[in-house]
Amino acid sequence: MSVPNHIAIILDGNGRWAKSKGMPRNYGHVQGSKNVETVCAAAYDLGVKYLTVYAFSTENWNRPKDEVDALMKLLHNYMKTCLKTAAKNNMRVRVLGDKTGLAPDIQKRIAELEEATKDYDGLNFQIALNYGGQDEIVRAVRKVMADTQKGLQPEDMTIEKFADYLDTKGIPEPDLMIRTSGEQRISNFLIWQLAYTELYFTPVPWPAFGKKELEEAIAAYNQRDRRFGLVKEE
């Protein structure tokens, strides 16, 4: 079985999963954050080299204030836990998104986490926080515009060069994108990078998504005919 080099996951369904169990939405977010380590370990065991998760979008700020506050508190604590997990599992962690929109203490923890894990050569784990695909492209364009003041010429720009202005610089594009909990859209996630990614949607909510479900997604991926715009040979 061919294992995708890079898997991206939209972590959806925490609140609905909690509600189905008669628990508050924040309980679902707590259990969902715990599940991240489980799936990271499963992905690495299966041979995945890069795993990117969509944890908090630029649009998630529009949720009720008490839920956002609880998510930010959870995120703050998760950064500390992730540092220990990364050290234990030799995992390099990078954060995608507009970090300047996060609280200073969270920004500090992100910087510490990225610096401490930069030389680890196990699973490459990317967390998308305060991230939106359209916002990422706009921020990249601003960088390009700034570089035109330093001599960058229009003819210098290529697809590969533009990709270097994105948050995912140096990270291969996803081979497989998984969305949990039944919704079938990409919701502003990696809209540049998903150009030729295989999409897989499962009704299983994120807190219940484990190694078995990951293996099922990879098995479905192996049934796809990936041609990248080419014609399949007869």
Side-chain angles (χ1 to χ4, degrees):
M1 183 172 68
S2 174
V3 175
N5 184 54
H6 182 180
I7 295 178
I9 309 179
I10 297 177
L11 314 182
D12 198 12
N14 291 338
R16 280 166 284 174
W17 176 83
K19 186 177 180 180
S20 73
K21 297 184 175 298
M23 301 295 287
R25 288 178 58 84
N26 289 340
Y27 173 77
H29 294 310
V30 170
Q31 296 307 310
S33 70
K34 292 179 180 178
N35 194 43
V36 170
E37 182 176 354
T38 299
V39 174
C40 280
Y44 188 62
D45 287 346
L46 290 168
V48 176
K49 302 299 184 186
Y50 294 82
L51 180 68
T52 301
V53 299
Y54 201 7
F56 191 87
S57 76
T58 50
E59 291 74 33
N60 286 156
W61 295 108
N62 296 319
R63 291 187 176 187
K65 185 178 184 301
D66 60 340
E67 183 173 348
V68 172
D69 289 346
L71 282 168
M72 289 298 108
K73 182 178 180 181
L74 180 62
L75 176 58
H76 181 276
N77 293 334
Y78 177 75
M79 289 293 114
K80 184 176 181 180
T81 302
C82 192
L83 185 61
K84 295 178 181 178
T85 302
K88 180 176 70 174
N89 297 326
N90 193 31
M91 183 171 73
R92 181 179 182 182
V93 184
R94 281 169 278 193
V95 173
L96 314 179
D98 183 5
K99 301 169 193 173
T100 64
L102 299 168
D105 61 326
I106 294 178
Q107 292 184 49
K108 181 175 182 290
R109 292 215 168 186
I110 289 172
E112 292 171 349
L113 180 60
E114 292 183 325
E115 176 63 26
T117 66
K118 66 180 182 181
D119 295 323
Y120 292 165
D121 59 4
L123 179 70
N124 288 271
F125 180 48
Q126 293 73 233
I127 311 170
L129 297 174
N130 194 29
Y131 176 88
Q134 292 174 330
D135 177 72
E136 177 188 27
I137 291 173
V138 168
R139 288 187 285 107
V141 169
R142 288 174 181 156
K143 295 173 189 175
V144 171
M145 293 174 71
D147 280 354
T148 61
Q149 305 300 314
K150 303 173 185 177
L152 180 68
Q153 297 299 310
E155 58 269 21
D156 296 332
M157 185 53 62
T158 62
I159 290 173
E160 293 76 18
K161 187 169 184 62
F162 185 78
D164 286 342
Y165 287 91
L166 298 171
D167 297 347
T168 50
K169 178 181 179 180
I171 298 170
E173 294 178 352
D175 302 289
L176 172 65
M177 192 284 288
I178 301 168
R179 180 167 186 157
T180 59
S181 202
E183 301 291 354
Q184 297 188 24
R185 54 180 178 270
I186 63 172
S187 296
N188 203 16
F189 182 45
L190 300 177
I191 57 179
W192 172 279
Q193 297 85 346
L194 294 180
Y196 276 101
T197 300
E198 298 297 325
L199 308 181
Y200 178 85
F201 303 101
T202 173
V204 178
W206 173 246
F209 186 93
K211 185 173 184 178
K212 171 179 171 290
E213 288 74 22
L214 183 61
E215 290 174 333
E216 290 173 352
I218 293 174
Y221 167 83
N222 274 264
Q223 299 301 312
R224 307 288 176 87
D225 182 14
R226 307 193 77 208
R227 298 194 300 275
F228 300 96
L230 302 177
V231 176
K232 183 178 180 180
E233 295 183 5
E234 297 295 336

